[in-house]
Amino acid sequence: MKLYSTNHQSPDVDLAEAVFRGLPPDNGLYMPTEFTKLPQSFWDNVHNLSLQEIAFEVSHALIGADVPSEDLRRLVNNAIDFPAPIVEVETNTYCLELFHGPSMAFKDFGARFMAALMSYFLQKSQKQIHILVATSGDTGGAVAQGFYKTSNIDVTILYPSGKVSDIQEKQLTTLGENVRALEVNGTFDDCQKLVKQAFLDKELTAKFDLASANSINIARLIPQAFYYVNAYAQLKKQGSDLPVIMAVPSGNFGNLSAGIIAWKLGLPVDKFIAATNVNNVVPAYLKSGIYEPISPSLSTISNAMDVGNPSNFPRMKALLDNDLETLRALVVGYFYDDETTKIAMKDVFDRTGYVMCPHTAVAYLGLKAYTNTLTKQVNGVFFSTAHYAKFLDVVEEVVGKQSIPERLEVLLSKEKQATAMTTEFADFKAWLMNNL
Ligand SMILES: *Cc1c(COP(=O)(O)O)cnc(C)c1O
C-alpha cells in the first residue's frame, strides 16, 4: 500500500510509516494512491460473509502486501470482535448500530484497529511507543479501550476537568495498566494545545517515541469502511435489492470519508447523506460551493459533532477528484438544530419505542428529509454512532427514564484514577519526563 499526502509536498510512504507519523510533514492527510474495486464475485456473495470476513476482504483490498494475509486475518478478528447489526425501525428504514464495542461508540472500530495495527508493526522491535491524546469525550474512551493492555504501547489521555460526562470520565480513568489520564484544569482546546506542543518539543521527541491517535490517522479510517459493506450485506441477506441510501451523522467527516472509500471499492450506494448539527460547514459547502469554517464551533446536544472545521474534509474531496459536481452527485447535505433533533428523538420513540442518541437522531432526520424527495422505494440506513446511554441527560429529558447497559453501569461504581494537571506546558513536560 502506498499513501500520498493531500498537500503533495511530502514523499509517498508505506502503511507503517503513515500510521506512526499520523500526519505527513507537509501537514496534508495521508491517502491511498489507488483503490482497486473488489471483484463482482465478492459483491455477489457478500451476504454470506460475516462482519469479520468482510473486514478481512476490505482491509486486504486496501492494505495489500503491507500485512500478510494470515496476519491480517488474525489482526482483524481480534480488533473487530463485536457486531454491527441493522435494526428495522420503520418500514425500509434501518438503524445501523455501531455502538456494540467496548466504549459503546463507533470510534471503537477505528481505535481498536489502529491499536492492533500499531502493535503488529511493533512486534519485532524493542520500541516503546507513547500515545498522547486530547479528548473532549468520546475519542478518549475508545482510544483507552482500544490500546488497553497492548504491549509496547502506553497511552496518556488529557481531558478537560468537569467538561466530560460522568460515564465518559469513568471510561478514561478506571482502566489503569498502560492507560493514564491527566485531568486538565482547562478546556479541550487547552488539552489539545498541550499535546501539540509536546510533539514539537525537541527534548521530548529526542527522548521518547511519541505518537498520536487522533481521527486523521489512516488506521482509524480503514476499519470504518467495514461496516458500510456489512450493512449492505445485511440488506442483501434479507432479499431486498432496493437502492440503498446511507445517512451519516458527521463532525470531522472521518466516518463519511470511509463510506466513500467503500463506494470506491464497489459498494452499491445510491447516495450518502451528510447530516450535521448547526456546525453545517459541509452541507453549506454542498449548497453554495463556498467552504467557510465556523470558529469557534457551536455547542450542541450532539456534541461529538461540534466541529467547525472538519479535519477529514480534504480527504473527502480528494476521494472524489476534488470536484464539487462529483461530490454533489454522491453526497447530499442536511443540518438540524437542537430543537428539531429533540423532536425527532421523541417522535421516533413515541411511534416505535426506539431510543436514539442526539447524533443518531440527526442522521435519522437527514435520511427522512432526503427519502421524502424521492418517488421510488429505497432502503434507508441511518447510522447510530453512540449508545443513547452515553448521552443520558438529554435522552431522559426528551423521552423519559431509560435503562443503562450493564457495561456502562459497572463503570459508575469504579474508582476514578487521574492526575491533576495545569494548562502550563512546563508542568505537562515535567510530568512526561518523569512518568513515561
Ligand atoms: C466522533 C463522533 C461523530 C462524528 O464522526 P466523524 O467521523 O468525526 O464525522 C458522530 N457521533 C458520535 C457519537 C461521535 O463520537
Side-chain angles (χ1 to χ4, degrees), residues 105-107 138 224 249-255 304-305 359 385-386 391:
F106 86 105
K107 291 192 171 68
D138 263 1
Q224 295 185 57
S250 296
N252 260 324
F253 281 84
N255 202 350
M305 311 197 299
H359 312 76
T385 43
F391 301 90

Side-chain angles (χ1 to χ4, degrees), residues 255-270:
N255 202 350
L256 188 50
S257 295
I260 298 173
I261 289 175
W263 175 80
K264 291 193 80 127
L265 297 179
L267 178 70
V269 168
D270 245 40

Side-chain angles (χ1 to χ4, degrees), residues 104-107 138-139 215 220-221 224 227 248-257 302-305 307 312 357 359-360 384-387 390-391:
M104 307 202 87
F106 86 105
K107 291 192 171 68
D138 263 1
T139 299
S215 73
R220 281 180 57 167
L221 217 57
Q224 295 185 57
Y227 50 72
V248 185
S250 296
N252 260 324
F253 281 84
N255 202 350
L256 188 50
S257 295
S302 48
N303 56 31
M305 311 197 299
V307 180
N312 276 301
C357 91
H359 312 76
T360 308
S384 181
T385 43
H387 191 282
K390 296 197 79 177
F391 301 90

Side-chain angles (χ1 to χ4, degrees), residues 395-414:
V395 165
E396 291 196 332
E397 174 204 319
V398 175
V399 304
K401 189 106 190 101
Q402 296 299 321
S403 61
I404 306 181
E406 201 183 321
R407 189 180 296 166
L408 297 181
E409 185 87 64
V410 293
L411 273 180
L412 293 172
S413 60
K414 287 197 183 163

Side-chain angles (χ1 to χ4, degrees), residues 71-139:
D71 295 339
L72 185 61
R73 202 179 281 280
R74 201 172 325 115
L75 190 158
V76 159
N77 287 347
N78 286 335
I80 313 299
D81 61 351
F82 49 91
I86 56 169
V87 174
E88 190 166 19
V89 174
E90 295 164 7
T91 308
N92 293 345
T93 302
Y94 299 82
C95 182
L96 173 63
E97 295 187 344
L98 299 174
F99 53 71
H100 294 282
S103 83
M104 307 202 87
F106 86 105
K107 291 192 171 68
D108 287 325
F109 282 89
R112 285 185 66 83
F113 187 81
M114 174 166 56
L117 201 57
M118 282 186 171
S119 160
Y120 172 77
F121 284 133
L122 287 173
Q123 249 173 44
K124 289 175 200 82
S125 81
Q126 299 299 314
K127 259 195 199 167
Q128 175 77 15
I129 297 276
H130 308 277
I131 305 267
L132 303 182
V133 59
T135 186
S136 57
D138 263 1
T139 299

